[in-house]
């Protein structure tokens, strides 16, 4: 925490004499070079004031009484300043003075007040400007922020002007230690929190950015994906448990189409179109980005859809596949991996990586894969790309052929 310089002095204004020829006494607080002045509501004859000492001459009863009063003010101001530092409030000359004077700032807002207002707008725009998952993410961030303040500061809420860089550092420490969040998860929660701070700064409710000297970075994550033989094992495996059989089909369908979990959950008959050559396509705007996906349906994917044409859940909800929640899917996929003997951490997003990797390894161009995944450009697609041994062997066979020397 940066060191705070603090000083308090008293002075009189000789050019503001009252009708009795007395000057008003003022106090001046200075914190880190910033000043704040206020009247102490007392008057004294200028000849009785000691400018060098900042107090009255004590030759008279009047002077002694005034000095006792000024000492009481000094003690009160110093107590307020010490309490604010102990509570880790942002100490400034004006905030100390306002607390001493008992002023309430009508434009003073609390952190959770601004956070809740933001989240209410997100809820109203859910499905319009915000994906439902984004709304849930901000609600989780709000809950964790409240838990952090109760755990670390023993408070239900805090004013925005009480926030500092130390608050952000403490929040990061709380997420990593108490909540056991990994580095990337912690960074994402802090990024969500930073958006609330940006709103407060833009509205003028917060003067100093607690994130000013703080930068975030996400560590690269190598996600698991299925190789061709592993995907074949999973698709061909005979599974008697209906629940796991459905999860296998949905996961396999995502591996064959590249659809994200939310998009396959929302897949409806109108998203399947047939072109003039009789080829069936999935044409659907991604829920996350609204970018259009254009994906030719492979035979294996069409067979999966055919299995659920008469499924009661699909008929009632008007969808093509009976997709459960993402949480349940990921839990069931762990069981599925064990049954199939696949030693990888399967998740719904693993299917999207599998599709991108296998299509690129099979010779599809990165531009076409980006179009099928619904990416605006190939930069995002490169995050999904993996170099397989089969791709290296294939390319080196071409190199060997082209480099063959004439005998």
């Amino acid at each position: 925490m940066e060191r705070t310089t603090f000083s308090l002095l008293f002075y009189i204004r000789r050019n503001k004499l009252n009708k009795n020829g007395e000057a008003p006494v003022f106090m001046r607080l200075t914190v880190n070079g910033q000043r704040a002045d206020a009247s102490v509501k007392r008057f004294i004859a200028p000849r009785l004031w000691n400018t060098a000492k900042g107090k009255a001459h004590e030759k008279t009863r009047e002077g002694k009484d005034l000095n006792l009063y000024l000492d009481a003010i000094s003690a009160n101001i110093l107590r307020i300043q010490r309490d604010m530092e102990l509570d880790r409030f942002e100490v400034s000359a004006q905030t100390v003075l306002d607390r001493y004077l008992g002023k309430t700032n009508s434009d003073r807002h609390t952190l959770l007040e601004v956070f809740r207002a933001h989240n209410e707008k997100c809820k109203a725009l859910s499905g319009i400007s915000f994906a439902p998952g984004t709304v849930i993410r901000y609600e989780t961030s709000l809950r964790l922020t409240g838990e952090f303040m109760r755990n670390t500061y023993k408070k239900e809420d805090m004013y925005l002007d009480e926030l500092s860089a130390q608050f952000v550092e403490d929040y990061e420490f709380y997420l990593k230690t108490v909540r056991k969040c990994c580095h990337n998860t912690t960074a994402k929660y802090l990024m969500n929190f930073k958006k609330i701070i940006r709103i407060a700064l833009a509205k003028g409710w917060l003067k100093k950015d607690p994130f000013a000297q703080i930068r975030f970075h996400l560590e690269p994550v190598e996600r698991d994906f299925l190789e061709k033989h592993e995907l074949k094992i999973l698709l061909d495996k005979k599974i008697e448990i209906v629940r796991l059989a459905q999860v296998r089909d949905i996961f396999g369908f995502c591996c064959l189409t590249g659809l994200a979990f939310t998009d396959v959950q929302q897949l409806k008959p109108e998203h399947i179109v047939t072109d003039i050559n009789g080829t069936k396509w999935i044409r659907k705007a991604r829920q996350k980005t609204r970018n259009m996906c254009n994906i030719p349906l492979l035979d294996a994917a069409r067979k999966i859809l055919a299995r659920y044409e008469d499924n009661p859940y699909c008929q009632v909800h008007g969808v093509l596949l009976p997709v459960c929640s993402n949480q349940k899917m990921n839990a069931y996929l762990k069981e599925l991996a064990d049954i199939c003997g696949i030693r990888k951490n399967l998740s719904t997003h693993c299917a999207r990586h599998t599709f991108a990797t296998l299509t690129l390894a099979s010779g599809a161009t990165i531009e076409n894969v980006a179009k099928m995944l619904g990416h605006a450009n190939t930069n995002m697609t490169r995050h999904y790309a993996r170099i397989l041994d089969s791709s290296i062997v294939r390319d080196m066979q071409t190199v060997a052929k082209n480099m063959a020397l004439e005998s």
Side-chain angles (χ1 to χ4, degrees):
M1 184 182 295
E2 64 180 61
R3 184 182 176 188
T4 301
T5 61
F6 181 91
S7 69
L8 171 65
L9 66 84
F10 298 96
Y11 65 96
I12 63 172
R13 289 188 175 177
R14 299 175 185 272
N15 60 343
K16 297 286 185 180
L17 303 181
N18 62 13
K19 61 182 180 180
N20 297 322
E22 296 173 325
V25 182
F26 277 74
M27 61 178 170
R28 172 173 292 163
L29 282 75
T30 306
V31 177
N32 292 334
Q34 299 296 316
R35 296 176 176 179
D37 296 68
S39 170
V40 302
K41 309 298 183 184
R42 291 290 189 275
F43 292 83
I44 189 172
R47 60 185 175 80
L48 299 177
W49 183 257
N50 186 332
T51 302
K53 293 184 177 181
K55 57 169 44 178
H57 293 294
E58 294 195 343
K59 295 178 180 179
T60 64
R61 176 75 179 181
E62 180 183 9
K64 290 180 181 179
D65 289 344
L66 177 59
N67 285 342
L68 287 173
Y69 179 70
L70 297 182
D71 288 343
I73 292 176
S74 295
N76 202 358
I77 291 289
L78 291 172
R79 178 185 58 78
I80 290 171
Q81 182 251 348
R82 184 183 67 250
D83 290 346
M84 291 179 72
E85 286 189 340
L86 289 174
D87 290 338
R88 296 184 179 182
F89 291 169
E90 187 70 25
V91 177
S92 69
Q94 194 60 52
T95 56
V96 174
L97 183 60
D98 286 346
R99 180 171 289 197
Y100 169 75
L101 297 175
K103 289 184 178 180
T104 56
N105 189 349
S106 60
D107 203 29
R108 203 178 185 205
H109 298 267
T110 67
L111 172 59
L112 297 190
E113 171 196 344
V114 179
F115 216 139
R116 291 190 188 100
H118 166 269
N119 286 9
E120 288 302 316
K121 289 183 179 179
C122 288
K123 288 179 185 176
L125 293 170
S126 179
I128 303 173
S129 302
F130 290 92
T134 302
V135 177
I136 294 172
R137 187 170 70 249
Y138 276 113
E139 280 298 306
T140 303
S141 295
L142 170 61
R143 177 174 55 80
L144 289 178
T145 304
E147 287 179 6
F148 157 67
M149 285 192 292
R150 288 190 293 272
N151 179 282
T152 305
Y153 294 97
K154 312 304 180 188
K155 294 183 177 182
E156 292 296 323
D157 203 352
M158 291 176 67
Y159 285 107
L160 290 170
D161 54 23
E162 296 172 351
L163 303 181
S164 64
Q166 186 63 48
F167 182 94
V168 180
E169 292 176 14
D170 291 343
Y171 194 8
E172 180 180 11
F173 182 77
Y174 171 81
L175 290 171
K176 289 183 175 180
T177 57
V178 179
R179 297 295 304 183
K180 307 297 182 185
C181 295
C182 68
H183 172 83
N184 284 1
T185 301
T186 298
K188 288 176 182 178
Y189 279 132
L190 290 175
M191 288 174 187
N192 292 339
F193 176 62
K194 186 175 181 179
K195 183 183 178 184
I196 307 303
I197 297 300
R198 289 202 307 269
I199 292 172
L201 288 167
K203 292 182 178 292
W205 297 337
L206 184 60
K207 303 302 180 185
K208 187 176 179 180
D209 184 3
F211 285 93
Q213 304 301 322
I214 299 174
R215 298 290 180 270
F216 300 112
H217 71 279
L218 297 179
E219 294 177 348
V221 177
E222 290 293 325
R223 294 188 180 273
D224 283 327
F225 64 93
L226 297 184
E227 295 194 36
K228 184 177 178 180
H229 71 278
E230 293 172 321
L231 179 57
K232 181 172 175 54
I233 290 172
L234 184 139
L235 293 175
D236 294 343
K237 184 71 174 179
K238 185 174 179 61
I239 300 175
E240 300 295 340
I241 304 172
V242 175
R243 163 178 58 87
L244 292 181
Q246 289 184 353
V247 169
R248 184 271 310 276
D249 288 343
I250 294 163
F251 179 79
F253 185 82
C254 290
C255 290
L256 296 167
T257 61
L259 287 178
F261 171 78
T262 303
D263 295 317
V264 77
Q265 191 178 44
Q266 299 172 351
L267 193 64
K268 297 181 179 181
E270 57 263 32
H271 297 136
I272 307 298
V273 299
T274 305
D275 64 17
I276 57 175
N277 297 317
T279 303
K280 290 186 178 296
W281 294 70
I282 296 176
R283 298 195 192 278
K284 181 185 183 300
R286 285 199 67 201
Q287 174 67 36
K288 183 177 180 179
T289 63
R290 309 315 300 170
N291 291 331
M292 185 63 69
C293 296
N294 294 287
I295 310 162
L297 269 179
L298 300 175
D299 289 341
R302 289 205 300 271
K303 289 177 181 178
I304 291 174
L305 291 181
R307 291 175 200 159
Y308 297 93
E309 288 179 349
D310 299 323
N311 183 276
Y313 177 91
C314 295
Q315 291 181 342
V316 170
H317 293 86
V319 293
L320 294 178
L321 291 169
V323 183
C324 58
S325 70
N326 191 39
Q327 184 178 14
K328 287 184 178 179
M329 276 282 294
N330 286 330
Y332 297 157
L333 283 171
K334 306 298 184 288
E335 292 184 54
L336 195 61
D338 291 338
I339 292 173
C340 296
I342 298 173
R343 296 179 177 274
K344 291 183 176 178
N345 183 26
L346 298 190
S347 65
T348 53
H349 205 60
C350 171
R352 195 162 163 82
H353 283 265
T354 298
F355 173 80
T357 303
L358 294 184
T359 49
L360 287 169
S362 299
T365 65
I366 195 167
E367 290 79 12
N368 285 336
V369 174
K371 189 67 176 175
M372 288 187 282
L373 292 174
H375 291 160
N377 55 61
T378 60
N379 291 333
M380 180 59 69
T381 313
R382 295 182 197 282
H383 291 294
Y384 289 82
R386 299 289 191 280
I387 302 299
L388 300 179
D389 290 343
S390 59
S391 302
I392 296 174
V393 171
R394 182 193 64 203
D395 289 347
M396 286 307 295
Q397 285 174 344
T398 302
V399 170
K401 180 181 177 180
N402 292 336
M403 289 181 63
L405 300 177
E406 294 182 4
S407 56

